[in-house]
C-alpha cells in the first residue's frame, strides 16, 4: 500500500533528493518517489510496516526538512518551514548522486 503525502515548498531536484534521502532512513520505508510538479511524496512501506505510524513519522521528517504537509502549518511556522526548505534544497543539490 502506497502512502502519499501532499507537501509544500518542493522546488527542484535538490529538494527531491533531500526528501528521498531522509525518508529512506525511516524504518519500514522501502522506496520513496517525489513528484515535484504535484508537490507530492509517495512512500512504499515494507510489508510488515504499520501504515499510520509510518505516515506520521514521514510527515514529521518532512516538516523538519522544511516540507510540511499541505495545510499543516501557517504564519511564522510556514515561514520557518520555507527557510528550512531552502537549506534542505541546497544540501540535496550538493549530495545528488544522479
Amino acid at each position: 500500500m502506497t502512502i502519499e503525502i501532499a507537501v509544500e515548498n518542493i522546488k527542484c531536484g535538490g529538494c527531491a533528493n533531500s526528501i528521498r534521502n531522509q525518508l529512506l532512513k525511516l524504518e519500514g520505508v522501502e522506496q520513496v518517489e517525489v513528484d515535484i510538479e504535484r508537490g507530492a511524496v509517495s512512500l512504499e512501506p515494507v510489508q510488515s510496516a504499520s501504515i499510520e505510524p509510518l505516515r506520521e513519522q514521514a510527515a514529521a521528517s518532512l516538516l523538519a526538512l522544511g516540507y510540511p504537509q499541505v495545510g499543516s502549518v501557517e504564519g511564522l511556522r510556514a515561514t520557518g518551514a520555507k527557510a528550512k526548505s531552502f537549506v534542505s534544497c541546497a544540501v540535496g543539490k550538493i549530495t545528488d548522486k544522479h
Side-chain angles (χ1 to χ4, degrees):
M1 169 180 230
T2 301
I3 299 170
E4 187 165 302
I5 303 172
V7 297
E8 299 178 12
N9 303 332
I10 297 176
K11 298 171 282 306
C12 67
C15 298
N17 190 46
S18 287
I19 290 168
R20 225 182 276 98
N21 289 339
Q22 186 65 31
L23 295 183
L24 285 171
K25 293 177 185 177
L26 295 177
E27 187 175 336
V29 174
E30 189 169 338
Q31 184 177 348
V32 176
E33 296 290 327
V34 180
D35 187 326
I36 298 166
E37 297 297 317
R38 290 188 319 116
V41 176
S42 299
L43 304 159
E44 289 294 330
V46 294
Q47 287 185 347
S48 61
S50 297
I51 300 301
E52 200 50 41
L54 187 55
R55 174 187 292 281
E56 290 172 13
Q57 288 177 339
S61 290
L62 289 165
L63 176 60
L65 286 173
Y67 305 102
Q69 188 169 352
V70 171
S72 67
V73 296
E74 50 189 54
L76 288 176
R77 286 187 70 205
T79 302
K82 191 167 211 154
K84 284 182 187 178
S85 75
F86 284 111
V87 174
S88 295
C89 176
V91 170
K93 287 179 181 178
I94 293 169
T95 60
D96 189 6
K97 293 179 176 67
H98 291 104

